Amino acid sequence: MFRCIVLVPSYNSGTLLRRTVLAVLAVWADVVVVIDGSTDGSGQAVEDMVATYAGLHVLHLPRNGGKGAAVLHGAEWAIQHGYTHVLTMDADGQHPVVAVQDFVAAARCVPQAMVLGVPIFGPDAPALRVWGRKLSNILVQMETQGAVRDCLFGFRVYPVQQMVAVLRESRFMRGFDFDPEVAVRMVWRGVPALNKPASVQYFDAAQGGISHFHYVRDNVRLFFMHLRLLCGWMRHALCRMR
């Protein structure tokens, strides 16, 4: 039986978290929010909504462990509660709530596959982010033989058992490296990838926009991630040649 829950990891997302969760609940009843050690009170604002929405669940981690760690925690909870799929989306309102039902419907049609969002950038998108992801996408397309069109967009539906299995095999994929590496390794495990376009919007500081991406630290993390993946890809290629 196909059952999907929207999984929203959040770390100090401010007022955007409550706004995002309310928007999701308007189109999808089952939502689990993982508060990843937040200290800004945003978790309590969502906790206060639980009594009103029967399908809303809020999990709390004692300290900030990173996006991948929060997604893993929520995914393990989802498995324990009988869900077969999770739709992951960011807490900051950038991902398209209007596409939730469409993405879930696509996953329902091909439940063994993961449905990966391909961002459609508007004029509000920071040029540095748009151009900065191009190299990662080139590498990931090589590592997956073109199966993954965009490696950094976190609006996705995963078959939850397969995703958790990939995460449990490695001590990596716990931070910003989660989105690209988990997609590559799931492709290597034989999970099909369906790529669907989805809009993305960015908020400035006046609108409450928050980014925890650190350009030096996280780009270094992505560099070493691609070294791991390229080594793994070469091993796969050599094994196929034998």
Side-chain angles (χ1 to χ4, degrees):
M1 179 179 69
F2 179 94
R3 291 185 70 205
C4 184
I5 190 167
V6 175
L7 195 169
V8 183
S10 176
Y11 172 66
N12 286 352
S13 301
T15 58
L16 287 175
L17 173 60
R18 186 176 187 276
R19 192 188 316 173
T20 298
V21 172
L22 281 172
V24 175
L25 287 167
V27 300
W28 198 258
D30 294 328
V31 179
V32 58
V33 179
V34 182
I35 305 300
D36 187 23
S38 294
T39 58
D40 65 348
S42 56
Q44 187 59 52
V46 177
E47 191 78 60
D48 292 342
M49 298 163 52
V50 170
T52 305
Y53 297 93
L56 174 62
H57 309 273
V58 182
L59 312 179
H60 293 267
L61 294 173
R63 60 184 63 86
N64 178 238
K67 180 179 181 179
V71 170
L72 176 58
H73 186 73
E76 290 175 332
W77 180 95
I79 290 172
Q80 292 169 5
H81 289 80
Y83 291 95
T84 60
H85 291 70
V86 294
L87 185 154
T88 59
M89 63 184 300
D90 290 350
D92 58 8
Q94 292 184 3
H95 291 164
V97 172
V98 294
V100 166
Q101 293 182 346
D102 185 37
F103 269 58
V104 173
R108 189 188 300 272
C109 290
V110 192
Q112 72 274 20
M114 55 181 168
V115 184
L116 307 178
V118 180
I120 302 172
F121 293 108
D124 57 348
L128 187 59
R129 292 197 184 189
V130 174
W131 286 98
R133 70 197 302 136
K134 290 184 180 293
L135 177 58
S136 279
N137 283 336
I138 289 171
L139 291 171
V140 163
Q141 287 167 17
M142 180 176 68
E143 293 155 0
T144 62
Q145 296 182 302
V148 177
R149 286 179 53 194
D150 188 277
C151 66
L152 293 172
F153 197 46
F155 188 75
R156 297 171 170 178
V157 183
Y158 296 100
V160 68
Q161 292 276 5
Q162 290 89 330
M163 182 187 73
V164 167
V166 167
L167 287 169
R168 285 174 175 167
E169 287 177 350
S170 172
R171 64 185 180 88
F172 298 107
M173 296 178 278
R174 298 302 188 264
F176 189 76
D177 55 350
F178 162 74
D179 288 312
E181 187 162 358
V182 75
V184 171
R185 294 193 181 277
M186 287 181 73
V187 167
W188 289 353
R189 288 176 68 97
V191 177
L194 302 181
N195 296 276
K196 285 180 65 65
S199 60
V200 57
Q201 61 178 330
Y202 289 88
F203 298 99
D204 58 30
Q207 297 170 305
I210 297 172
S211 175
H212 298 296
F213 181 79
H214 189 287
Y215 280 97
V216 175
R217 178 198 64 202
D218 290 319
N219 277 313
V220 168
R221 179 176 289 169
L222 288 175
F223 171 78
F224 284 106
M225 178 204 72
H226 282 300
L227 282 183
R228 294 194 303 272
L229 292 177
L230 286 170
C231 289
W233 174 70
M234 287 188 288
R235 285 197 300 269
H236 280 272
L238 289 173
C239 287
R240 288 195 298 268
M241 292 172 58
R242 291 173 181 172

